Amino acid sequence: MVNPLSISLRSKKLGVLIRDARLAARKSIEECCAVIEVSPEEFEAYELGDKSLSLPKLEVLALYLGIPLDHFWGSKARSEDASPALDFDVKQLLRVRQRMIGALVRQARTQGDISLEELSQEVGIAPDQLEACENGEAELPLPTLEAFCARLNRPIEEFFDKQGPVGVWIGQQQAVQDFLQLPDEIQTFVAKPINRPYLELAQRLSEMSVDKLRALGEGILEITL
């Protein structure tokens, strides 16, 4: 059984992180409300931890604020970069993501051989509410989704956007972080335009099968002998 206090504490922490992200991005409550289409009172409740955003709305908010999504699982601000433009239909994206997350929850529950009634009781929500969430008809607050993940033994990352605009942005942010973790000499090599052909060659080689690589290596060896 999930402790209701743990969900409440998570909601409070999430609210602090949401406010921190908004202030770092220099956005007003009204601007954020317009993006995820909630009232100022509701957004203030999110920041106070009295209510919790769903994962789709949190993803869109992170994109709008230019804050890496993992900020909301950390304990400090991660970015003050300029906010990217949201050149897509946010309302449609939220609907699609809500349905996708519901379907993933139902799939995980079914694979775990857990009844809807059993899961709803363990996380402390009504069965009809859980069913509505699984059908994509209702939002699933993030702390409750995290409780589901813990019960179903699934990582929260499994529910993140992978293919949509948020997923693309997350991938770009991760690519930047991966590049910055490379040794300085490799960063310098990659950054030079003159070295691009070598990088493209390395990319093509990485996509070749082991047999083709072996044949290529044997061919080069014959040439050099």
Side-chain angles (χ1 to χ4, degrees), residues 76-222:
K76 61 180 181 179
R78 295 287 302 276
S79 173
E80 293 189 4
D81 296 337
S83 304
L86 301 186
D87 54 351
F88 55 86
D89 188 337
V90 173
K91 184 181 295 186
Q92 175 65 13
L93 174 66
L94 291 175
R95 285 197 297 266
V96 171
R97 289 288 295 130
Q98 185 170 297
R99 289 196 297 270
M100 290 177 63
I101 288 174
L104 288 172
V105 169
R106 181 172 58 250
Q107 181 184 56
R109 178 179 61 77
T110 303
Q111 291 176 347
D113 196 24
I114 303 171
S115 69
L116 189 145
E117 290 73 16
E118 181 183 358
L119 183 58
S120 65
Q121 183 178 12
E122 292 194 15
V123 298
I125 66 173
D128 58 345
Q129 183 181 356
L130 174 56
E131 186 175 19
C133 292
E134 288 190 351
N135 291 332
E137 299 166 355
E139 292 184 349
L140 195 56
L142 181 62
T144 304
L145 177 58
E146 290 175 324
F148 286 165
C149 290
R151 174 62 182 85
L152 300 170
N153 196 29
R154 299 295 180 95
I156 185 66
E157 291 80 7
E158 186 175 308
F159 296 85
F160 288 177
D161 183 12
K162 301 296 193 303
Q163 304 297 329
V166 178
V168 171
W169 176 74
I170 291 174
Q172 292 171 344
Q173 295 295 310
Q174 186 60 54
V176 171
Q177 293 299 318
D178 292 344
F179 175 78
L180 294 176
Q181 291 175 7
L182 294 172
D184 291 344
E185 60 272 18
I186 295 181
Q187 290 186 29
T188 301
F189 179 87
V190 171
K192 290 182 178 179
I194 195 174
N195 291 327
R196 183 171 179 177
Y198 299 107
L199 297 174
E200 293 174 344
L201 174 60
Q203 181 180 11
R204 289 196 294 270
L205 289 173
S206 70
E207 296 170 351
M208 294 176 65
S209 67
V210 174
D211 291 339
K212 288 185 177 181
L213 285 172
R214 184 181 294 111
L216 178 62
E218 291 172 352
I220 294 175
L221 184 59
E222 290 178 0

